[in-house]
Amino acid sequence: MSKLWQARFFTTVNQLRDLPKTQVPEIAFAGRSNAGKSTAINILTNQKGLAFASKTPGRTQHINFFSIGGAHVAMHRKDATNVEEIRGLLVDLPGYGYAEVSGDAKLHWQRLLGDYVQRREQLAALVLIMDSRRPFTELDIQMLEWFAPTGKPIHCILTKVDKLNRNESVNVLRQARQVLDSYVDEDGNGFPFTVQLFSALKRVGIDEANDKIIELLGLDDDPDADAGQAGADE
């Protein structure tokens, strides 16, 4: 059983001052509205409604945190999470890219997300969710360029590849790698950017994404966690 299946809602914030005081690593999920971010989070955590999309895409301006650890599978969702046992946080950032969003809301989104991804010390990596049919939109590039100077990893998940044929899938992955490889630091070194194909419908790339996120959270070399979870399930 994946460690990501332990995920449960922890808190939601709308201002930087309200960010959790935890010191565990965070992996943030960002993406254009309708790129499939909520679906990806839900399938990776094996939960239907952990992350949810707004009925009016682009309107949700909150950052939602989901804890890994601090609770057992058998616990009721209303039972308090043991904060001291939390080992990582999955962070669902507001979706972006809809024209219906007001100017004030867009400004708030830019300040909130920009400051969070650039300054949050606990943020270990960014998972950028993009529709494989329309990757690297202007706002996706903006997110890449906000985060790249931190030197932290970005893992790009190209969703909805079930809409592409085999040749299209191969080409979009190759082109995505070329885009990511074009980013270099002032010394000409590439950034730690990776990319994969993904389909929730056809269950493509789920194991690859799971393993990468576990690795980025630093949980892949912790056998004690699996032993503790097994004991909780008995």
Side-chain angles (χ1 to χ4, degrees):
M1 183 177 69
S2 169
K3 297 181 181 70
L4 299 185
W5 290 14
Q6 302 173 20
R8 61 176 356 214
F9 176 77
F10 181 60
T11 190
T12 185
V13 304
N14 191 36
Q15 302 290 338
L16 290 173
R17 63 175 177 269
D18 297 325
L19 290 172
K21 307 302 182 186
T22 49
Q23 297 301 314
V24 297
E26 299 171 4
I27 301 295
F29 290 74
R32 186 179 177 90
S33 299
N34 264 10
K37 176 166 58 69
S38 297
T39 299
I41 293 173
N42 288 337
I43 199 166
L44 287 168
T45 59
N46 197 39
Q47 299 179 51
K48 291 183 178 180
L50 184 67
F52 57 91
S54 170
K55 293 181 180 178
T56 306
R59 289 294 179 90
T60 303
Q61 298 297 318
H62 292 74
I63 299 177
N64 294 313
F65 290 79
F66 309 115
S67 60
I68 304 295
H72 302 305
V73 173
M75 288 175 60
H76 192 279
R77 291 194 174 277
K78 293 185 178 179
D79 292 342
T81 298
N82 187 336
V83 177
E84 293 182 355
E85 294 181 2
I86 293 175
R87 303 178 58 246
L89 291 170
L90 305 181
V91 186
D92 186 8
L93 301 177
Y96 50 81
Y98 266 72
E100 292 85 349
V101 178
S102 70
D104 287 345
K106 286 180 181 178
L107 183 59
H108 177 72
W109 173 84
Q110 289 177 331
R111 288 175 175 170
L112 183 65
L113 269 70
D115 286 349
Y116 173 76
V117 301
Q118 292 172 326
R119 302 179 184 178
R120 179 73 165 170
E121 292 184 4
Q122 295 92 322
L123 183 55
L126 181 73
V127 176
L128 184 57
I129 308 291
M130 295 181 285
D131 188 324
S132 60
R133 299 165 297 176
R134 296 179 292 275
F136 299 106
T137 66
E138 181 180 350
L139 289 173
D140 295 325
I141 295 296
Q142 182 179 25
M143 181 61 74
L144 274 171
E145 294 181 352
W146 270 345
F147 195 69
T150 68
K152 299 174 183 177
I154 295 179
H155 185 59
C156 297
I157 293 180
L158 303 178
T159 62
K160 307 183 184 182
V161 295
D162 51 280
K163 307 293 185 182
L164 306 178
N165 62 38
R166 180 174 178 80
N167 285 338
E168 290 170 334
S169 298
V170 170
N171 286 335
V172 76
L173 184 60
R174 175 179 54 81
Q175 291 166 4
R177 284 174 173 152
Q178 289 176 344
V179 171
L180 296 175
D181 288 346
S182 70
Y183 285 87
V184 295
D185 62 21
E186 57 187 12
D187 296 321
N189 300 313
F191 289 103
F193 295 166
T194 51
V195 62
Q196 68 161 98
L197 301 176
F198 188 91
S199 168
L201 182 64
K202 298 294 186 180
R203 302 191 67 82
V204 173
I206 295 173
D207 288 344
E208 181 180 354
N210 173 83
D211 293 348
K212 187 64 178 180
I213 292 165
I214 292 295
E215 174 193 333
L216 293 171
L217 281 170
L219 303 182
D220 53 333
D221 294 320
D222 191 350
D224 292 337
D226 290 333
Q229 185 62 48
D233 291 340
E234 291 177 355

